[in-house]
Amino acid sequence: MWLQNDNDMIAPSLLSADFSNLAKEVEMLNGSSCDLIHLDIMDGVFVPNISFGFPVIKSIKDKVCKPLDAHLMIVDPDKYVKNFADVGVEYLSVHYEACTHLNRTVQNIHACGMKAGVAINPATPVSVLEDILPECDFVVIMSVNPGFAAQKYIDSIDKVRKLRKIIDSKGYNCLIEIDGGINRNNVEELSKAGVDIFVAGNAVFSSENPLQEIEYLKSKCSRQPL
Ligand code: DX5
Ligand code: ZN
């Protein structure tokens, strides 16, 4: 049986932050128990929304004391991989659905010194990852259709279980990140199913007390050895 561990990570998504007070939001995250800061990069082509890009990341890079986890919801991500490394991103994920030569893209991310992740949309089965998994540092299971914050969680527990089973049976060194609609109601169950990294946007930033919310989510996903 899969052994649970207690090093699950919380990655608040900046997309739900108050952009008119970004320095303050970053300061709050620095003082929190979060592990990564999730950056949602949208191009208005792969997804029907546009978010933010390099100037914003550069403006916070010197202020953050947590690793940056950029989630590229863009077509042709290869064009920008090096730029993300240059602005200090440490975890970079690209979408399976956006990459024609996914293996090359993942190699490119590694060559630029970052951890490489592959994200899959809710309609994409984990089985398509079979050949790329040995090269991945993490997989992002999308539990909403990408494009917007604060959407309703799409049940992804079976997908998580399936992926956990493949990773463990093959002995791959690959983390599972879940992204979309994560909150106090689903974090514990997902943690038990095998998620390692939890992205949370709305749950954190719409909370009266984001620091406490991060702490709470973290406590709910801190798994005990079986
Ligand atoms: C969706 C993004 C998510 C999202 C998370 O396109 O990739 O990271 O902003 O926000 P919540 O937690 O509000 O669903
Ligand atoms: Zn995301």
Side-chain angles (χ1 to χ4, degrees):
M1 189 187 284
W2 172 66
L3 269 190
Q4 296 180 312
N5 61 46
D6 62 0
N7 54 4
D8 281 0
M9 297 193 259
I10 301 289
S13 165
L14 219 54
L15 192 61
S16 294
D18 176 359
F19 277 76
S20 66
N21 267 315
L22 208 46
K24 219 172 153 202
E25 300 281 49
V26 165
E27 211 175 289
M28 181 279 289
L29 293 176
N30 282 342
S32 80
S33 57
C34 83
D35 303 275
L36 304 172
I37 296 179
H38 187 82
L39 306 174
D40 284 305
I41 311 298
M42 305 177 181
D43 66 354
V45 180
F46 181 68
V47 288
N49 198 5
I50 296 175
S51 56
F52 56 87
F54 299 115
V56 172
I57 304 175
K58 271 190 202 150
S59 76
I60 61 162
K61 182 54 200 168
D62 291 340
K63 298 185 168 64
V64 296
C65 67
K66 312 268 181 175
L68 297 176
D69 166 37
H71 171 202
L72 305 193
M73 287 159 276
I74 65 175
V75 295
D76 212 354
D78 293 81
K79 271 191 190 164
Y80 304 101
V81 166
K82 188 172 179 304
N83 302 65
F84 282 100
D86 290 345
V87 292
V89 163
E90 290 174 45
Y91 291 67
L92 190 70
S93 59
V94 295
H95 265 264
Y96 166 83
E97 302 84 1
C99 297
T100 311
H101 302 289
L102 183 59
N103 186 284
R104 180 182 289 146
T105 308
V106 166
Q107 283 185 36
N108 192 7
I109 296 172
H110 283 148
C112 289
M114 295 177 286
K115 290 190 188 297
V118 174
I120 52 169
N121 283 336
T124 303
V126 297
S127 55
V128 301
L129 298 172
E130 190 181 339
D131 290 347
I132 195 67
L133 266 184
E135 316 298 328
C136 291
D137 298 295
F138 62 111
V139 165
V140 185
I141 293 185
M142 293 305 302
S143 40
V144 296
N145 287 296
F148 303 92
Q151 299 183 81
K152 194 170 173 290
Y153 169 73
I154 297 170
D155 185 14
S156 307
I157 198 106
D158 287 345
K159 253 170 141 168
V160 172
R161 288 198 182 111
K162 222 177 262 179
L163 183 59
R164 183 84 259 163
K165 212 168 159 187
I166 301 170
I167 290 172
D168 289 353
S169 67
K170 301 272 188 185
Y172 295 146
N173 197 7
C174 175
L175 299 175
I176 302 178
E177 176 168 326
I178 190 134
D179 185 7
I182 298 305
N183 58 41
R184 336 179 130 214
N185 301 323
N186 50 28
V187 72
E188 194 170 2
E189 186 185 36
L190 285 162
S191 172
K192 285 183 176 148
V195 170
D196 303 290
I197 306 172
F198 297 83
V199 176
N202 187 51
V204 167
F205 288 99
S206 72
S207 161
E208 296 264 298
N209 190 332
L211 278 177
Q212 259 176 30
E213 194 61 27
I214 292 169
E215 197 57 50
Y216 183 85
L217 293 174
K218 190 134 174 130
S219 74
K220 282 292 172 192
C221 68
S222 289
R223 294 168 273 154
Q224 302 301 317
L226 290 175

